[in-house]
Each structure stands twice: as C-alpha cells, then as structure tokens.
Amino acid sequence: MGLTKQYLAYRAIDSFNIITSGRANVNFAVVDKTEGRYVAAPAAENVIVWDLRMGDRKLTLRREKFEVTSLRVSPDHLHIAVGYADGMVQIFDLSSDRYYEPICTLALHKNAVSILRYDLQGMRLVSGGLDTELVVVDVVEQAGRARLSGHNAAITDAHFLQRLVDESIVVSCSKDTQIKFWNLETQFCFKTIVDNRTEVWALAFIGNLMVAGAGESGMNVYRLRKHDGAITETLESAVEGLSIDDEDTISPISVSNCGTIQRAGKGRTVNLVTDPSERVISCHGTNDLIENFYICTPEEVKKRLAKRLKKEKKVAEDEGSEEAKLSTEQSLSDEIKRLESIRAKQKIKSIDVVLGQNQELRVLVSLANNSLSLYSLEASIKTRKATDPSAKLLRSLTRLGHQSEVRSVCFSNDSLAIGSGAGESFKFWDRDAMQCLRTVPTDYILCSKFVPGDRYVLLGMKSGKLLIVDVAAADIVEEIPAHEGELWSIAILPDQKGCVTGSGDTTVKIWTFELIDAGEGAAQTKVLSLLHKNTLKLEETVLCLAVSPDMKYLAVGLLDATVKVFFLDTFKFYLSLYGHKLPVICLDISYDSNLIVTGSADRNVKVWGLNFGDCHRSIFAHDDSVMSVQFIPRTHMFFTCGKDGKVKQWDGDNFEKILTLPGHIGEAYCLSVSPNGRYLVTCGSDRTLRMYERTEETIVLKDVQEEEREQMENEQLATGEDNTVPLLPGLKMPSRKTVGSEQSAESILECLEISKQFELEAEDKPELHPLMQALQVKNPEDFLVSTLMRIRASDLEEALLLLPFSTVCEVLERLPTLLTQRPDQLELLCRVTIFLFKVHMKPISAAKNMKPLLVKLLSMLKRDVGQLRDVLGWNLHGLALLQTEVEQRDGVQLFREATQTRKKRDKKRREASKRRLQIQMV
C-alpha cells in the first residue's frame, strides 16, 4: 500500500421521480416537426422534454447546482432558452444531435431569471430578473445588446412590441405596480403606466390590445394606437385615456384604458398566455381554475355588435322609452368572448396554449403536485350549453413521480430495485431503467424497509401503523396498529427473522416474521405477518434505532439528544452516548459492530466506539440538520445527507471527508446505500430521487481537497463585482462580469506579452512559445486573433473592459495589421475596435499620437465593411434569383409551409365540389 489511502469515487448517474418543478413555466415544444405532442418542463436543475403520447422522456437538457427558473421555446421551435437561479441563461438547439450542449451561455443577472421572451423572428431575447433589470440579447451574435434599469422591484413579465410602430420597443411589468415602455435605440423608458394599485404579474398582447393581470380578480385592458402628430380626439376618448396618456410628443404610441376583464377566480393573476395565432387568451390565478377568452375577428365583432344593438333596441321598445340613445360604438364585450373554463385537480403552477386545426384549443397545465395535464377545448364563438361541456382531459403525466415530497428510500436486498415512500403512495423503481414498476396508494410514510427475500416491504406510517406490502401484487397485505405515535424507524434484525420498530410513543417493539394462511380465493397460500415479541418502554420519543450485526446491542436515538444502547436479548441498559446538543435524528452501526455513527439536528456527526462508548471524533458535517447516515457495507466509510442539500462521504477510521456529491436543491431527507455498496440513492425536497454509482476512478484526498479549494477560489471574482470604468460612471453593461471574462482578459494580456517577446527575438528565429504551438499559429497576428476567437461572445466585452489603457493602445496599434492579414475575421475585429473606442473615447481623443492611427483604422474599416456588405448583397440577390428560377421550373413553392397551405386549399375545394355534385345527383 502507498503512502496515501486511495478511494473509489462515486459519481451521479441521473435523477428521476420528478416530472415538473413549480418554479418555472412549461412550454409546448416541437420535436421531429410534430406539434402539440412534446412539452418542455423544468425538473429541478434540468429541463426535460416529455413525449405526452408515450408518457416518457424524449430529451434532457442538463446543468448542475442551480434550479431552472424560466424557459422559453423560440418561435421557430428550433431553440430553447433556459434561465437559472444564478442569473445565467443558456440556449440549446433542439434540432441538433448534440442538443445537450448549450450553443451559448450568457451571464445576465445577479439573481434568478424571472422571465424570458423571444421576438417574433427569434433573433432577440429579452430577459427579466429578480434584480429589477431587463437585458436584451442578440441571439445571433450571442451577446447582450442593452440593459434597462428603472423598475424598483422584481420583473414579472416582458414582451417585444413589434406591432403598430417600426421602432424597437420592449414592454415590461413589475411588482412595483408599473408597466414601462422602453425604446431600445435610446435604452430609455418613454412611457410608464401607473394606474394599477397592486403588483402587475403578467402581460399579454393580442392585436392592438394589451391585457395586464394584477393582484386583483380584474384584468385591465389597454388599447394601443400609433401616435399621430395632430390628434383630434373626441371628448369621451380623451377622458377615457386621461389617466394614462398625457399629451406627450416623445411617445410613438398612445395607450388608453378601455375596460376590465373580470376573472371568476379569486386572488392574483399568476399567468397570462396567448396562442401563437393570437385568437385565444388563457389565464389562471392561485387556485385550480383556468379561464379562457376568445378574441373575435372584425367580421365576428360586427355580427356581435349588430346582435347586441338589436337586443337593446327590443328591450328599449318593450320598456316604452323610444328616445333612449343606444351606443353604436363597439365595446370590449363585443371583441372578447368568454370560453369554457377548465378546472384542474390541483393548484396550478403554469400553463401554455396552442390552437390547432378545427378550432381545437390544447391547454398544457403544470400542477403543484409534480404532474402535467393536457386538456382539449373547442375555441369558437358558438355558445355551448352547460350540460354539454367541450373541455376534456386528453392526457396526464402522473405515474412517473410521487405527488408529494419523498421522505424515505430503501434498496432491495439484491440491489436491483428501489422503494420510495411519500405522503400519498409507495413506489417501486427499476434501478437500471429508473422507471416506476408499481405504485401502492398509502397514507404518510416515514420509513421503509425490504423484508429478506424482497417479496414484501415494511412501511412505517405517520399514524403509527406498520404496513406489510406485497411487492408482486402491489397490494397492502396487512395493517398492524403497531404504535400510538409516529413510527419513525424500522430496523431488520441481522438474523433476518424479525424487525425492530421505534416510535414517537416512547416505545421500541421487537417483531418476528411468520407465514400465515392467506385465506380462500387468494393467489398465494401463505402470506407474511408479524408477531409482537417484546416491548421496551423509554422516557423520551424514539427518533431512530439500529441493531448491531453481531445481534448483541440495540442502539436508540432519543429526542433528549442522547443515544442509549441496550442489550438486545434482555433489554438491559449498557451505554449512554452523551454529546449532541440537539435531538439525534439518525444513526448506524458498522458491519463489525465496532463503530456507531450518529447524526443530529446540531449539524454534527459523531463517531463512537461501541465497546466503551467513547467518542472517537465529532465532525461538523453539514450547514443544517443531519437527516440520514449509513455505512457502506463491509467498510468503515459512511454517507451523510443534511437539510443543506449536500451528500457527503466520510472515512470512519481517519475521520476525513472523502468527497461531496452534487446534492439536492433544497433539503435532502433520506439516503440508502445498496447492499453490494455500489449504488447510493437519495431523496429531497426538490422532488428528485438521485442515483449515484461507484466508479473505478481512484481519488486521493489531497487532490480532492485541492480541487475544492480551487473551485471556491474560482467562484470569487479577483477584480470584485464592480465593473465601472473611471471616466464612465453611468456605464451599464448588458452582461455580467464572470470568472470566464477575467480569465479571458488574462489570456489577452498573456498573448500580448508573448507576442512582444517573440518580436524582440524575431531576428534569431526563436522557437515558438508552447501556447502558440497549442493554437497552431506561427506569427503574433494569428496568435492574437486566435486568442480573441477563443473568448466566448458573451464574455468578450467584459474582458476588454478589464484591460488597462496601455494594453488597449497596444491592441489598437496592432489592429491595422490584423485587418490586412485576417479579413476573414472582420466582424470580430470590428466589434473589438468599436467597443474599445466607445469605452476609452476621452483618453484616446486626448492622446495626440493616436490621431493618425484613428484615421487609418476608420478608412480601413469603412473599406472592408463596404466590401463585405457588397458580397453579402450579391449573394442574397443571387440566391433570390436561383429561388425564382427553381419555382418557375418546378411550379412548386420552395417553402414547406406554403406548399402545405396550398394542398389543404386544393383538398377543401375538391371536397366542396364533390359535395355539390352529390347534392345535384340527389
């Protein structure tokens, strides 16, 4: 054996049991050109694309540590943007074979991303965060364009306004009750709507209407109009819009409040969504009701208005008041018609809608109980009878996960199956496929254990009952009223002939297994039952217990923060282990009965000797209560998990931490090590079951500790959070400084240093620097261009901002040579030049020696950019000409959608002519 002790590393395989987490929204996705079948749903730190028809996963987009807080599928359905709790946004390409790798990663916010929204073309993305700021991103360039600051509270929704006007406008709402209109050219807010008394939670745009969902049951509706220079308004419309529109000349649009949509649900509006064709708007509040509204076409509005006037006229005639003036103006009730509401089975977290053929509206619902539902509804202007509802549940995804938090996990004795117990059921899982095999509806489960032979499972309930479940039949064989209080812990006796249970009623009971007759009509002749053998009465609540493998001792963890050890056969008191300051929540005994390890709510794990009760070591293990501890079979190594979400492996001989595994988001409740010691499964408050496997990779403790230290150092910015430039105090960058941008700035400085050295020794024909060899470049110019190309597009501006002015001058001096030698990278070099000029304009203009360089750069850039633009224009018109020729030759329109539309039109025409022919024949 070497000087250092080596261990085999455990690595995370995957997480399961989670269908959707409630913090982010859900979206319809298109995979393999199929719409309405696939759904993108957040699952803790991952995004899962579910196939609703087959009921299984299609794709999984992964990231570690941080929870998904927002997601959005692009209008062309090729990309999906995902926002995380640390303010990062990643964009994935769903159509690619390497869909699991993000095509770009953007650091945009200091806190969680609350909303993501694409523009109509999918070229730009607006992101709102809990840090009260909006960032507009150019998706093609993969970099931020503008940062908009002005709200005083978290952003709740944001939209690109690409109707009525040509300017680039973003509309945002926030918890500060304001709706703001931003001009992206000037990056300033030109209009603020302040007539909402409560927080504005959602916005929706349909035609020229804007609907705002606030903290009340009513939703305000605003009409947007293009602002003309000379407006001649009627008195009524002027009064109507007075609260919002003071006659400002800056604003390109005018906004007037034209009414309220009253929701049936109580409480605030949580979500407002429209279908892509803008015919239907759906909303939901904090309860289980989804309300749908149909937006009528101009023809339908005229019909509804005529019908209403006719009705009002008739009423007026009946009453005899002939001179009553009837309003011929169209009202909001003529434009918006309430459709049938959908009542879900649980509290709703998020919805998405899509309008299909034959006016079928599909509503996707993400529920608070970890499930997805798909409803179908007829969206038409016709009124249906209450006795003939059109809303029906098409599909529901519930079987693949518990509908409440999992409190207990256990491995079968052959290590092939996993059992998980939650507040409403017990599920059996296949370890390899991670698929649910059986579900047994139960009450609240606190602990579970497989009986030797793996045909039965024992479940300890919150009510104090002990349940025996048949694995094959997925049925409860027997309910034993074992205790009067919560049954906190079950331990199987090492001789496999019985079990021990500990409860909140301060008793420990020993049970023996026995087979009894199943009775008539049963599939099996004998079934398992338990026979009560002995009871140990204690003074405090029993929270956990364990039996030593040599069958000598019974260790009991109590609410008074002590662990009492008794002889198993006589229940005679043997040892009391004092030391914990708070109740002992979990304990385990090693395979050789020498060590006992205890975990407590005081965040400490203590390792004791079982022979004398001496405390070998007290370890400060977690940042919150230690919830579960278990030895790896046939070793002195053990795992712990705590309410801080972390899962850690320890060595019980030298008391060193071996490694920290990527844990849960939130709290970790329970863990179980497989009997063969190869697998580990944990459960937590994020609804996930996480599986880890022992690999053949050896780890050395010193290396792991060094890696953890480096990781902690890398997470802290060397230059601090502030990214201000001395002469530009109000500079607001659309990106955020990251460790990546600091490293990029270092690489530029290092590149310039190496280039200078190389040029000094140029006459002696020096050997290439190792970095230049690695990048396969032979001269300083290519080296600098390669270094700039390797910097992520979203980090480039932050990296250039960190460079000192002397380095900036050096880069600018090298740019003419770079432009001459590397015209293929003109766009990148242009971007670098313009940004450096923007930021360092004052010192550059003050330096007299920079003037000739500026003139030279300007003329070169004008020339090169002009040439590039000419090439692009030539190519564009050449392709357009080719397209025209192909269309003329084949008589087929080039784009698939247009062809399909024409085919449908032809088919309808043929069917109509057939019908006419049949009528004539009849």
Side-chain angles (χ1 to χ4, degrees):
M1 188 176 168
L3 293 171
T4 55
K5 192 171 177 182
Q6 290 183 329
Y7 303 91
L8 291 177
Y10 281 79
R11 291 284 176 254
I13 306 174
D14 205 352
S15 59
F16 53 106
N17 179 65
I18 188 161
I19 296 170
T20 174
S21 45
R23 191 165 178 192
N25 58 308
V26 288
N27 254 181
F28 278 107
V30 173
V31 182
D32 305 330
K33 295 177 181 173
T34 311
E35 194 173 359
R37 174 176 171 179
Y38 298 101
V39 171
E45 73 276 23
N46 303 329
V47 173
I48 300 175
V49 177
W50 293 100
D51 182 346
L52 288 181
R53 190 176 297 168
M54 302 301 290
D56 58 3
R57 292 188 195 198
K58 180 73 177 172
L59 312 170
T60 306
L61 313 173
R62 303 179 193 283
R63 187 175 178 237
E64 285 188 358
K65 281 189 182 179
F66 298 101
E67 190 178 9
V68 175
T69 55
S70 180
L71 61 91
R72 187 71 54 190
V73 177
S74 65
D76 57 7
H77 299 291
L78 296 177
H79 299 99
I80 180 168
V82 185
Y84 296 92
D86 61 339
M88 299 290 273
V89 173
Q90 289 190 336
I91 300 176
F92 296 87
D93 186 353
L94 291 178
S95 58
S96 164
D97 293 334
R98 300 173 72 83
Y99 63 85
Y100 45 84
E101 290 180 359
I103 53 173
C104 75
T105 303
L106 306 155
L108 301 181
H109 298 279
K110 291 175 186 170
N111 295 336
V113 179
S114 57
I115 184 70
L116 289 169
R117 192 86 63 176
Y118 278 96
D119 67 356
L120 294 176
Q121 292 78 31
M123 297 292 188
R124 292 175 301 173
L125 179 74
V126 63
S127 158
L130 300 185
D131 58 356
T132 76
E133 293 185 330
L134 291 150
V135 179
V136 178
V137 176
D138 187 326
V139 175
V140 180
E141 199 179 343
Q142 298 181 4
R145 290 290 92 216
R147 183 178 289 273
L148 310 172
S149 303
H151 282 291
N152 301 321
I155 309 292
T156 51
D157 206 351
H159 288 261
F160 283 99
L161 186 63
Q162 289 174 283
R163 56 198 80 202
L164 303 173
V165 285
D166 301 328
E167 287 95 334
S168 294
I169 294 174
V170 165
V171 186
S172 64
C173 64
S174 164
K175 286 188 186 177
D176 62 4
T177 75
Q178 296 175 357
I179 301 171
K180 285 182 181 285
F181 290 75
W182 307 84
N183 188 329
L184 293 184
E185 299 297 324
T186 59
Q187 297 185 20
F188 277 97
C189 170
F190 63 82
K191 185 184 283 292
T192 305
I193 297 174
V194 291
D195 68 338
N196 289 291
R197 288 174 297 174
T198 53
E199 298 103 330
V200 184
W201 289 95
L203 289 176
F205 288 85
I206 289 191
N208 63 349
L209 296 177
M210 178 176 78
V211 185
E216 304 155 336
S217 58
M219 297 188 296
N220 286 333
V221 183
Y222 303 92
R223 194 177 299 283
L224 310 177
R225 294 187 188 87
K226 192 170 180 180
H227 212 295
D228 296 325
I231 298 176
T232 54
E233 285 186 338
T234 59
L235 184 63
E236 289 84 359
S237 60
V239 171
E240 182 191 39
L242 199 61
S243 60
I244 299 160
D245 248 10
D246 44 355
E247 290 292 318
D248 53 355
T249 51
I250 314 164
S251 170
I253 51 170
S254 65
V255 183
S256 55
N257 192 332
C258 62
T260 306
I261 300 175
Q262 199 62 36
R263 284 173 39 242
K266 301 229 173 5
R268 71 176 178 92
T269 309
V270 176
N271 262 320
L272 262 177
V273 291
T274 58
D275 73 296
S277 63
E278 295 192 355
R279 287 263 66 85
V280 174
I281 182 167
S282 295
C283 66
H284 73 88
T286 50
N287 58 353
D288 59 351
L289 189 70
I290 303 165
E291 295 172 68
N292 307 295
F293 301 92
Y294 180 76
I295 311 300
C296 303
T297 58
E299 293 79 24
E300 289 169 343
V301 170
K302 283 176 187 171
K303 282 181 189 172
R304 282 171 67 87
L305 178 62
K307 194 176 175 183
R308 179 171 65 83
L309 290 173
K310 188 179 175 184
K311 198 174 177 182
E312 284 179 3
K313 195 175 179 184
K314 192 179 176 184
V315 170
E317 282 173 4
D318 290 348
E319 288 175 359
S321 54
E322 292 174 11
E323 289 148 14
K325 288 183 181 177
L326 297 174
S327 171
T328 55
E329 290 284 323
Q330 65 180 44
S331 69
L332 203 60
S333 58
D334 299 325
E335 292 180 66
I336 299 174
K337 179 188 180 298
R338 184 184 286 272
L339 292 175
E340 194 178 334
S341 296
I342 299 170
R343 194 166 285 282
K345 294 173 183 174
Q346 279 282 336
K347 185 181 174 184
I348 299 162
K349 284 291 181 185
S350 169
I351 59 171
D352 195 20
V353 294
V354 64
L355 191 62
Q357 295 173 351
N358 306 325
Q359 296 293 88
E360 184 201 4
L361 179 72
R362 289 199 169 182
V363 184
L364 171 67
V365 188
S366 161
L367 299 171
N369 67 346
N370 186 33
S371 65
L372 287 169
S373 298
L374 183 66
Y375 291 90
S376 172
L377 179 73
E378 188 187 322
S380 67
I381 200 166
K382 296 172 191 167
T383 6
R384 298 181 70 91
K385 294 176 186 173
T387 52
D388 180 26
S390 70
K392 57 179 183 288
L393 177 65
L394 289 182
R395 288 182 186 89
S396 184
L397 213 60
T398 53
R399 193 182 62 84
L400 294 169
H402 284 282
Q403 295 187 9
S404 56
E405 290 179 355
V406 182
R407 301 299 305 205
S408 169
V409 285
C410 59
F411 262 103
S412 62
N413 295 294
D414 59 6
S415 304
L416 291 175
I418 297 166
S420 62
E424 87 304 329
S425 66
F426 186 81
K427 283 183 183 286
F428 298 97
W429 304 85
D430 180 357
R431 187 205 68 206
D432 291 332
M434 298 184 195
Q435 290 290 329
C436 178
L437 303 173
R438 302 269 193 284
T439 303
V440 185
T442 60
D443 294 334
Y444 202 109
I445 299 168
L446 292 177
C447 54
S448 54
K449 276 283 187 293
F450 274 89
V451 173
D454 293 335
R455 286 179 59 185
Y456 296 95
V457 176
L458 300 178
L459 304 179
M461 313 302 288
K462 198 173 183 180
S463 59
K465 288 180 182 174
L466 183 61
L467 266 57
I468 304 171
V469 174
D470 186 336
V471 172
D475 192 22
I476 298 168
V477 176
E478 190 178 358
E479 279 190 22
I480 302 166
H483 294 274
E484 291 169 8
E486 301 92 342
L487 206 160
W488 285 111
S489 186
I490 301 173
I492 302 291
L493 292 174
D495 63 0
Q496 302 192 342
K497 291 179 181 174
C499 65
V500 186
T501 59
S503 165
D505 63 1
T506 72
T507 60
V508 173
K509 292 185 180 180
I510 296 186
W511 309 78
T512 53
F513 299 135
E514 63 170 3
L515 290 170
I516 59 168
D517 291 328
E520 292 180 12
Q524 298 171 331
T525 51
K526 300 273 188 181
V527 292
L528 184 77
S529 183
L530 293 179
L531 186 66
H532 180 218
K533 188 180 172 188
N534 214 338
T535 303
L536 170 65
K537 185 79 173 118
L538 294 156
E539 293 173 1
E540 285 286 342
T541 295
V542 177
L543 293 178
C544 53
L545 51 82
V547 179
S548 64
D550 59 6
M551 289 284 289
K552 277 179 74 176
Y553 307 115
L554 168 67
V556 184
L558 301 171
L559 194 65
D560 63 0
T562 63
V563 177
K564 289 193 163 44
V565 185
F566 300 90
F567 288 101
L568 184 64
D569 49 359
T570 60
F571 281 165
K572 190 177 175 186
F573 178 73
Y574 173 54
L575 286 171
S576 185
L577 310 178
Y578 289 97
H580 284 294
K581 296 181 178 68
L582 289 169
V584 178
I585 295 171
C586 52
L587 59 86
D588 197 21
I589 298 173
S590 65
Y591 74 104
D592 54 6
S593 304
N594 285 338
L595 295 178
I596 177 170
V597 60
T598 59
S600 162
D602 63 6
R603 302 180 286 179
N604 288 308
V605 166
K606 292 184 187 288
V607 183
W608 316 75
L610 201 53
N611 295 331
F612 304 104
D614 54 326
C615 181
H616 291 186
R617 184 66 62 93
S618 180
I619 307 164
F620 183 73
H622 291 271
D623 297 331
D624 210 330
S625 304
V626 182
M627 295 301 288
S628 188
V629 61
Q630 191 177 345
F631 275 102
I632 300 171
R634 296 175 293 284
T635 67
H636 277 179
M637 292 182 286
F638 60 91
F639 281 102
T640 62
C641 69
K643 279 192 175 178
D644 59 356
K646 294 189 175 75
V647 180
K648 298 183 181 181
Q649 185 186 358
W650 308 83
D651 190 332
D653 292 329
N654 58 17
F655 320 112
E656 292 275 1
K657 184 181 76 177
I658 299 167
L659 83 164
T660 304
L661 294 167
H664 291 267
I665 294 165
E667 301 174 359
Y669 291 138
C670 185
L671 63 82
S672 179
V673 183
S674 65
N676 61 11
R678 194 176 163 192
Y679 297 95
L680 166 74
V681 66
T682 63
C683 65
S685 63
D686 57 2
R687 301 282 176 93
T688 59
L689 292 175
R690 294 176 189 263
M691 173 86 82
Y692 307 88
E693 184 182 10
R694 188 175 62 212
T695 60
E696 295 305 312
E697 177 195 344
T698 55
I699 53 172
V700 181
L701 287 186
K702 291 278 167 65
D703 296 351
V704 174
Q705 287 164 3
E706 188 61 37
E707 277 173 25
E708 284 183 3
R709 232 187 337 268
E710 278 178 19
Q711 198 176 343
M712 283 176 70
E713 283 172 10
N714 285 344
E715 282 172 4
Q716 294 172 349
L717 295 172
T719 54
E721 289 289 340
D722 192 26
N723 62 349
T724 53
V725 179
L727 296 171
L728 293 170
L731 180 72
K732 277 199 185 317
M733 297 288 290
S735 53
R736 190 166 56 92
K737 194 195 298 180
T738 60
V739 176
S741 53
E742 284 184 347
Q743 289 170 347
S744 302
E746 281 173 18
S747 67
I748 295 171
L749 290 165
E750 190 178 16
C751 168
L752 292 170
E753 192 66 40
I754 293 166
S755 298
K756 263 195 271 183
Q757 193 67 32
F758 184 85
E759 284 162 356
L760 284 172
E761 300 169 3
E763 293 173 7
D764 307 333
K765 293 186 178 176
E767 192 182 333
L768 287 175
H769 191 274
L771 267 176
M772 293 175 79
Q773 289 176 3
L775 293 172
Q776 297 177 339
V777 292
K778 292 181 180 174
N779 56 34
E781 287 76 20
D782 287 347
F783 185 27
L784 181 55
V785 171
S786 298
T787 307
L788 290 170
M789 282 166 64
R790 285 167 61 84
I791 298 171
R792 215 164 54 187
S794 55
D795 286 338
L796 181 63
E797 291 187 352
E798 288 289 348
L800 294 171
L801 200 61
L802 290 168
L803 298 178
F805 183 63
S806 56
T807 312
V808 169
C809 293
E810 201 175 324
V811 172
L812 289 172
E813 282 163 11
R814 287 180 183 273
L815 277 170
T817 323
L818 297 181
L819 287 165
T820 312
Q821 292 190 4
R822 294 298 297 270
D824 56 317
Q825 292 299 326
L826 179 64
E827 193 180 342
L828 173 68
L829 296 172
C830 252
R831 198 175 157 202
V832 171
T833 313
I834 290 166
F835 180 76
L836 291 177
F837 272 135
K838 234 191 249 177
V839 174
H840 300 284
M841 191 61 219
K842 286 182 182 175
I844 287 173
S845 53
K848 290 179 183 176
N849 60 337
M850 296 293 281
K851 193 176 178 182
L853 178 68
L854 293 186
V855 174
K856 188 179 178 183
L857 265 175
L858 191 63
S859 63
M860 285 181 79
L861 284 173
K862 270 185 180 176
R863 184 194 69 212
D864 293 348
V865 171
Q867 285 174 359
L868 187 63
R869 192 178 56 198
D870 292 345
V871 170
L872 288 172
W874 177 271
N875 290 343
L876 182 68
H877 287 86
L879 287 169
L881 185 67
L882 284 172
Q883 179 186 339
T884 313
E885 283 181 6
V886 170
E887 283 181 358
Q888 284 173 353
R889 189 171 64 244
D890 297 346
V892 176
Q893 288 174 317
L894 205 61
F895 298 104
R896 181 173 169 272
E897 290 87 350
T899 314
Q900 280 185 331
T901 313
R902 202 172 72 176
K903 278 181 184 172
K904 282 176 195 167
R905 206 165 51 238
D906 292 347
K907 192 178 174 184
K908 277 183 184 173
R909 201 180 292 125
R910 283 198 302 273
E911 284 175 357
S913 61
K914 264 186 199 173
R915 278 198 300 272
R916 279 200 299 274
L917 191 64
Q918 284 169 353
I919 290 163
Q920 284 169 8
M921 284 171 73
V922 169

